[in-house]
Amino acid sequence: MFINLDDVKKHLYIDSAFTEDDNYILSLIEVAEQVVEEHIDCNLIDLCDLNEDGQVDVTTLPAPLKHAMKLFVGNLYANRESIAFAQSHELPLSFKYLINLYKNYESRTTK
């Protein structure tokens, strides 16, 4: 995982002592990581640095992508159904802006 449960719970303003939704949030993190990978047409692991042992250090994923995943998790957590009765607007410079910074346009032409 590129973002962890504790950081996401802080982002969602959920007290660390509240654990009832932990498994649900973990599943949302997994979804967010897959959505971002699909959108940027690149494996997230390829954007990470290697540590001294030559192993991939997942903590080095660029901060905009980590934040985009937290925004996505927050959206799914707050809106658990596909229909909303309140009017909403996408905020500029949010999820799409952050992940588009890392979009791999070259992979689209080779598919």
Side-chain angles (χ1 to χ4, degrees):
M1 294 180 109
F2 295 92
I3 56 176
N4 65 50
L5 180 62
D6 290 335
D7 287 342
V8 171
K9 287 175 83 167
K10 286 177 189 171
H11 175 78
L12 298 173
Y13 298 111
I14 297 173
D15 190 89
S16 60
F18 178 74
T19 59
E20 198 169 310
D21 284 351
D22 284 2
N23 286 333
Y24 180 65
I25 295 168
L26 288 169
S27 71
L28 295 178
I29 291 170
E30 185 177 342
V31 169
E33 290 179 358
Q34 289 178 14
V35 166
V36 169
E37 274 189 340
E38 287 294 320
H39 186 84
I40 65 173
D41 290 323
C42 182
N43 290 326
L44 293 175
I45 206 157
D46 294 339
L47 299 173
C48 295
D49 296 331
L50 299 177
N51 62 21
E52 295 129 11
D53 300 328
Q55 303 294 321
V56 174
D57 182 0
V58 297
T59 64
T60 61
L61 185 72
L65 291 175
K66 289 180 184 179
H67 191 68
M69 287 187 272
K70 290 177 194 174
L71 289 172
F72 195 80
V73 169
N75 183 24
L76 293 177
Y77 187 78
N79 303 291
R80 297 183 185 205
E81 301 298 329
S82 59
I83 297 174
F85 295 101
Q87 187 175 14
S88 61
H89 301 280
E90 183 177 356
L91 298 174
L93 302 179
S94 60
F95 177 76
K96 285 184 184 175
Y97 175 80
L98 293 171
I99 60 176
N100 280 339
L101 295 172
Y102 296 90
K103 181 88 171 146
N104 181 359
Y105 292 100
E106 291 179 13
S107 70
R108 290 234 178 230
T109 59
T110 60
K111 288 184 178 179

